[in-house]
Amino acid sequence: MSTIGYGDITPKNEVEQLFALFGMLCGSVAFAYGLTNLCSILFYYKQYEVDFKSRMDSIQEFLSWKYHQDACEFNGATSID
């Protein structure tokens, strides 16, 4: 990842060498950053799915409880009349 070309074109003076060095460092850092993000996404993919399902289960449980509570209040009101 830190090579440029096949070696047929090489930097000749110090400015060109510094420019090539800077380019190689930037390329290496960008590659490492991208690879790290990709590995992180793949590693934590299952954890995100488990967290999502857990939250959805909690919401479903709350809504079913709320629906049941509203239904009980409604039945109580109609039985008094």
Side-chain angles (χ1 to χ4, degrees):
M1 280 289 131
S2 61
T3 62
I4 298 175
Y6 293 106
D8 53 346
I9 301 173
T10 58
K12 301 292 184 215
N13 58 30
E14 289 182 14
V15 175
E16 292 174 353
Q17 290 174 350
L18 287 174
F19 184 76
L21 178 66
F22 181 73
M24 287 186 278
L25 287 175
C26 287
S28 296
V29 168
F31 179 75
Y33 180 74
L35 186 62
T36 302
N37 283 336
L38 179 63
C39 289
S40 176
I41 289 169
L42 294 175
F43 183 74
Y44 289 112
Y45 175 73
K46 188 67 174 173
Q47 183 62 36
Y48 293 141
E49 186 179 347
V50 168
D51 288 344
F52 176 76
K53 286 183 180 181
S54 174
R55 288 179 183 162
M56 290 305 292
D57 288 343
S58 297
I59 291 170
Q60 243 181 347
E61 182 179 341
F62 172 76
L63 290 176
S64 68
W65 174 79
K66 182 68 177 161
Y67 176 75
H68 179 70
Q69 186 180 23
D70 290 344
C72 289
E73 290 174 2
F74 180 74
N75 287 339
T78 58
S79 63
I80 292 174
D81 291 336

